[in-house]
């Protein structure tokens, strides 16, 4: 299996001597092509820090991170910017759409910045618009569409350049249940049919049940991980709840 992301002994420490907070404590893991990984854990466990460090938004204090065989720490700022644009996709809770651009223009922005041919942009746009069911709103603006449509627009923008790895940070956090399910079904379909590799931070067991594998983070370290395997989504959902209950119990034992 092709390894898309490999992390070795990744640490992230904030603060200065005498007042130090360890957000990530020697995290090591691998994500292979076509994986759909959920990251879960209590508030303050290090979930978002993990995603930020892996997605190049933040830098680790120590350790090694490779994405598609490239070591992140060896890149200068210009190389990192190009790598981020070409290899990584981002879906955030607050959409991050540009209000002055139409849905169509928001989605093709990564390809326009990369100066891709117009024909390629049009072909890719049609493909992702069909995947996320938003062909009928392409000429509308962000202030004219619903939250669910905004998030599907953001997801379309994240995948239009065929990135090696898609990062999703609480992508259903601001959505109603139907919009959340629509988005998750689309991500699941993208993962299964296009073999897209996705890492999703979520606090929601229902959202996590769409993943193939869940990493549970506690105190900046990997607490445990579970795989869906042949389980139904309903069975996997229950398994996630069981681990979360145990994780919460362990925390209560410490307090």
């Amino acid at each position: 299996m092709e390894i898309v992301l490999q992390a070795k002994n990744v640490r992230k420490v904030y603060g200065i001597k005498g007042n130090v907070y360890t957000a990530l404590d020697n995290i090591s893991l691998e994500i292979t092509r076509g994986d759909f990984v959920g990251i879960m854990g209590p508030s303050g466990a290090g979930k978002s820090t993990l995603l930020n460090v892996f997605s190049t938004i933040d830098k680790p204090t120590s350790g090694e991170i490779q994405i598609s065989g490239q070591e992140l720490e060896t890149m200068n700022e210009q190389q990192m910017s190009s790598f981020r644009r070409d290899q990584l996709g981002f879906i955030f809770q607050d959409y991050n759409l540009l209000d002055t651009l139409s849905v169509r223009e928001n989605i093709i922005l990564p390809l326009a910045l990369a100066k891709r041919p117009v024909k390629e942009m049009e072909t890719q746009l049609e493909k992702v618009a069909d995947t996320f069911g938003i062909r009928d709103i392409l000429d509308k603006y962000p202030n004219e569409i619903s939250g669910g449509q905004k998030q599907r627009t953001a997801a379309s923008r994240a995948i239009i350049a065929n990135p090696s790895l898609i990062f999703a940070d609480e992508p259903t956090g601001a959505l109603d249940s139907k919009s959340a399910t629509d988005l998750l079904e689309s991500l699941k379909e993208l993962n299964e049919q296009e073999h897209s590799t996705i890492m999703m931070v979520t606090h929601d067991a229902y959202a996590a049940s769409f993943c193939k594998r869940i990493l549970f983070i506690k105190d900046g370290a990997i607490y445990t991980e579970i795989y869906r395997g042949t389980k139904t989504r309903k069975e996997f959902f229950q398994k996630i709840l069981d681990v979360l209950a145990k994780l919460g119990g362990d925390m209560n034992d410490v307090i």
Side-chain angles (χ1 to χ4, degrees), residues 100-114:
T100 56
L101 299 183
S102 66
V103 167
R104 178 191 306 274
E105 291 165 339
N106 266 286
I107 293 172
I108 66 171
L109 186 60
L111 298 185
L113 292 172

Side-chain angles (χ1 to χ4, degrees), residues 13 21 40 42 50 56 72 98 102 113 130 145 184 212 253:
V13 178
Y21 168 66
M40 301 194 79
L50 184 72
T56 74
L72 301 188
L98 297 175
S102 66
L113 292 172
D130 285 340
I145 60 178
L184 291 164
K212 292 178 177 176
D253 290 343

Side-chain angles (χ1 to χ4, degrees), residues 27 32 34 50 52 87 97-98 101 131 135 142 152 175 180 187-188 194 197 211-212 221-222 230:
I27 297 277
T32 55
L50 184 72
N52 288 343
Q87 299 291 332
L97 300 178
L98 297 175
L101 299 183
T131 297
R135 187 184 278 266
R152 280 182 277 153
L175 303 181
L187 289 175
K188 181 172 176 283
E194 303 294 333
T197 309
C211 299
K212 292 178 177 176
I222 296 175
T230 58

Side-chain angles (χ1 to χ4, degrees), residues 228-246:
R228 178 171 173 177
T230 58
K231 295 183 182 71
T232 65
R233 197 173 57 74
K234 188 174 180 180
E235 290 170 337
F236 195 41
F237 173 68
Q238 187 57 55
K239 178 68 173 175
I240 294 166
L241 291 178
D242 291 344
V243 176
L244 287 174
K246 187 173 188 305

Side-chain angles (χ1 to χ4, degrees), residues 63-255:
E64 299 176 17
I65 302 170
Q66 285 189 1
I67 297 179
S68 296
Q70 298 191 55
E71 293 189 19
L72 301 188
E73 63 265 30
T74 63
M75 297 184 202
N76 61 35
E77 197 55 46
Q78 185 175 356
Q79 291 170 326
M80 183 69 78
S81 179
S82 297
F83 179 81
R84 194 180 291 125
R85 182 193 66 214
D86 297 337
Q87 299 291 332
L88 307 180
F90 300 89
I91 309 173
F92 300 102
Q93 182 175 331
D94 57 0
Y95 321 129
N96 283 8
L97 300 178
L98 297 175
D99 292 335
T100 56
L101 299 183
S102 66
V103 167
R104 178 191 306 274
E105 291 165 339
N106 266 286
I107 293 172
I108 66 171
L109 186 60
L111 298 185
L113 292 172
K115 297 181 171 58
R116 301 285 180 86
V118 172
K119 183 68 175 176
E120 179 186 343
M121 288 194 281
E122 290 174 348
T123 300
Q124 286 296 99
L125 176 66
E126 289 181 9
K127 184 178 177 182
V128 299
D130 285 340
T131 297
F132 286 97
I134 56 171
R135 187 184 278 266
D136 59 335
I137 63 164
L138 289 176
D139 293 317
K140 293 188 176 182
Y141 285 80
N143 66 347
E144 299 175 321
I145 60 178
S146 69
Q149 290 170 327
K150 288 178 183 177
Q151 193 57 294
R152 280 182 277 153
T153 298
S156 298
R157 180 186 57 194
I159 70 166
I160 194 166
N162 292 320
S164 299
L165 186 55
I166 299 164
F167 294 100
D169 191 2
E170 300 281 8
T172 62
L175 303 181
D176 60 66
S177 58
K178 182 185 184 305
S179 296
T181 299
D182 288 345
L183 177 70
L184 291 164
E185 290 283 6
S186 295
L187 289 175
K188 181 172 176 283
E189 180 181 325
L190 185 71
N191 171 253
E192 292 177 348
Q193 295 188 8
E194 303 294 333
H195 304 292
S196 296
T197 309
I198 305 170
M199 172 184 273
M200 179 174 72
V201 168
T202 182
H203 68 279
D204 181 7
Y206 174 74
S209 70
F210 283 80
C211 299
K212 292 178 177 176
R213 167 188 174 200
I214 309 291
L215 285 167
F216 294 88
I217 307 293
K218 177 186 175 186
D219 298 331
I222 296 175
Y223 173 79
T224 190
E225 63 180 303
I226 60 173
Y227 293 81
R228 178 171 173 177
T230 58
K231 295 183 182 71
T232 65
R233 197 173 57 74
K234 188 174 180 180
E235 290 170 337
F236 195 41
F237 173 68
Q238 187 57 55
K239 178 68 173 175
I240 294 166
L241 291 178
D242 291 344
V243 176
L244 287 174
K246 187 173 188 305
L247 181 58
D250 284 355
M251 290 178 65
N252 291 333
D253 290 343
V254 174
I255 294 172

